[in-house]
Amino acid sequence: MTTSLGLSIITLVTLFISLTPTLTKSEGGIDVFLPISLNLTVRTDPFSISAASHDFGNITDENPGAVLCPSSPTEVSRLIRFANGGFSYNGVLTSPAPTFKVAARGQGHSLRGQASAPGGVVVNMTCLAMAAKPAAVVISADGTYADVAAGTMWVDVLKAALERGVSPVTWTDYLYLSVGGTLSNAGIGGQTFRHGPQISNVHELDVITGKGEMMTCSLKLNPELFYGVLGGLGQFGIITRARIALGHAPTRVKWSRILYSDFSAFKRDQERLISMTKDLGVDFLEGQLMMSNGIVDTSFFPLSDQTRVASLVNDHRIIYVLEVAKYYDSTTLPIIDQVMDMLSRSLGFAPGLMFVQDVPYFDFLNRVRTEEEKLRSLGLWEVPHPWLNIFVPGSRIQDFHDGVINGLLLNQTSTAGVTLFYPTNRNKWNNGMSTMSPDEDVFYVIGILQSAGGSQNWQELENLNDKIIQFCENSGIKIKEYLMHYTRKEDWIKHFGPKWGDFVRRKIMFDPKRLLSPGQDIFN
Ligand code: FAD
């Protein structure tokens, strides 16, 4: 029996009173049976199904059978218990076998369907954040942490924290990602070298496991679950609340882009800056490549210098952009001058190629939003994104640079998108967590963030990614992929290496029926 109350744009299928099983049918013809006694509100209308089947990557298309818009964590727990075949109503157990898979979906900014649940139920985590009581973000009385509903976007965590003069300490470049989504990967950016990834800055989590149990975990309480879930690609449970560490919020930022034509000097300065202490050093460090076969975005630089910067790129074919930021407010004004002086005197860039903007802290952290708006206005946001994100051991970065940047990227007729290139410190990562990183003190974050469209289709870009991986393989450069999507089990085993055993053990402990986040393709 199909129950569907057609309500305007969004069809709400509200299941009440009767105990008759309800069948929701996806467009792909796969069915999800939910008994009415579950009392869950799921959406099965084409709009909701279609929205949950796509992601930012714009490459995959996987229809769920239904989308759950939960108003409380207990609803998610009920759904998962039922999917396990263990839901009981009136003392009667329902179906003995799992009936469908379940995936949490934050903002759906995955690249390859990682938040999808083909034929199963996608849990819209935004609904849970909107229903959170007393609020999606609650700052502690002493301002040292925030309890955050996991479906909340980081930009909203920032806004709520700033009202109290505090802020999370480590960020992704883009803030319109959900807390649960980035904690399921790592959450990295220009502050990672100093504070670690976002997963290193979590005190406690509320998680609904793959068995439907609601558990609180931390380093001391249920540590297996805590370690597993952080960077755990959604495999062990659905995070509903995260307790995030906070620090003092500065008011302003000196944001610099410093140009190099010499890779060795660029690399040396990047590595020196990430080794400096907080007082004397910078608060944020990244790097980008400007290549003559790509679109050279000079908008950061003063109008009077833009032509000069563009010709530099043309003349050298590649310019390395060191991007650093130092936070300040009225109490730290003297320090900012010292640090800016240190940067301009001690770094090895060519004279006259350091450019500084002075911006509010919020605008600095939210800088990628401006890029998003630009791309959206040009129709270039909702295009396929065959992005490649990798971590490269510091000891092999020169070989990577020579083989991949010089050998492959610069030899393309054109490149479309941004290439990130910066080092970070491994001692800020907790190796017990699920995320994998190279086994060296310093490793580089490389993001080859190409967009398809125009003359290039995404398969061509994907072929280039394959060549990059192959080059590393052939040269013995032991990279780790980030935000990866493998379809072969052996690739996952290789990725997790010595942690594979723990990963499987935790899967058996917390999601024995392998219901969660099937879009990651690890245990399907
Ligand atoms: P989704 O795509 O919705 O989900 C991702 C995975 O996590 C899925 O497997 C899903 O099932 C699972 N999941 C989601 N919520 C939960 C939850 N509450 N509990 C358990 N599992 C859950 N990453 C960085 O580290 N640094 C960056 O600077 C950065 N910049 C980005 C910029 C852009 C423009 C984009 C599109 C992505 C960027 N990312 C970055 C990648 C981003 O962190 C990941 O794609 C992240 O998963 C996105 O969060 P989301 O809420 O969209 O997750």
Side-chain angles (χ1 to χ4, degrees), residues 95-258:
S95 57
T99 48
F100 51 84
K101 306 240 174 189
V102 178
R105 179 182 167 101
Q107 288 297 306
H109 277 91
S110 290
L111 300 170
R112 280 301 189 107
Q114 285 94 334
S116 67
V121 177
V122 165
V123 180
N124 181 340
M125 298 304 290
T126 306
C127 296
L128 213 47
M130 287 168 69
K133 301 269 178 334
V137 183
V138 178
I139 311 289
S140 66
D142 63 1
T144 58
Y145 65 81
D147 278 320
V148 181
T152 312
M153 290 188 292
W154 281 99
V155 69
D156 294 322
V157 181
L158 176 61
K159 285 178 186 164
L162 286 182
E163 280 177 19
R164 292 276 307 278
V166 287
S167 164
V169 293
T170 192
W171 294 96
T172 49
D173 293 339
Y174 178 62
L175 306 185
Y176 292 74
L177 307 168
S178 80
V179 169
T182 70
L183 295 184
S184 298
N185 287 293
I188 53 170
Q191 298 85 358
T192 303
F193 78 92
R194 194 167 295 299
H195 298 285
Q198 291 176 327
I199 50 172
S200 295
N201 290 275
V202 176
H203 296 311
E204 190 179 273
L205 298 169
D206 284 344
V207 175
I208 301 167
T209 69
K211 294 193 264 188
E213 302 157 318
M214 298 172 74
M215 293 173 76
T216 299
C217 60
S218 66
L219 285 176
K220 295 214 167 109
L221 181 70
N222 300 311
E224 282 282 352
L225 184 60
F226 188 70
Y227 280 120
V229 160
L230 291 169
L233 307 174
Q235 294 306 302
F236 312 110
I238 295 186
I239 307 168
T240 55
R241 177 189 63 100
R243 180 165 287 182
I244 310 287
L246 301 176
H248 167 74
T251 51
R252 296 198 68 84
V253 177
K254 292 275 188 198
W255 174 21
S256 309
R257 286 194 180 165
I258 307 171

Side-chain angles (χ1 to χ4, degrees), residues 262-281:
D262 174 22
F263 177 67
S264 309
F266 168 69
K267 165 182 158 350
R268 190 179 53 241
D269 284 350
Q270 280 193 321
E271 291 187 16
R272 187 164 77 83
L273 287 170
I274 64 160
S275 70
M276 293 175 76
T277 61
K278 182 166 168 38
D279 288 349
L280 300 173

Side-chain angles (χ1 to χ4, degrees), residues 39 389 455:
N39 195 13
N389 294 279
S455 58

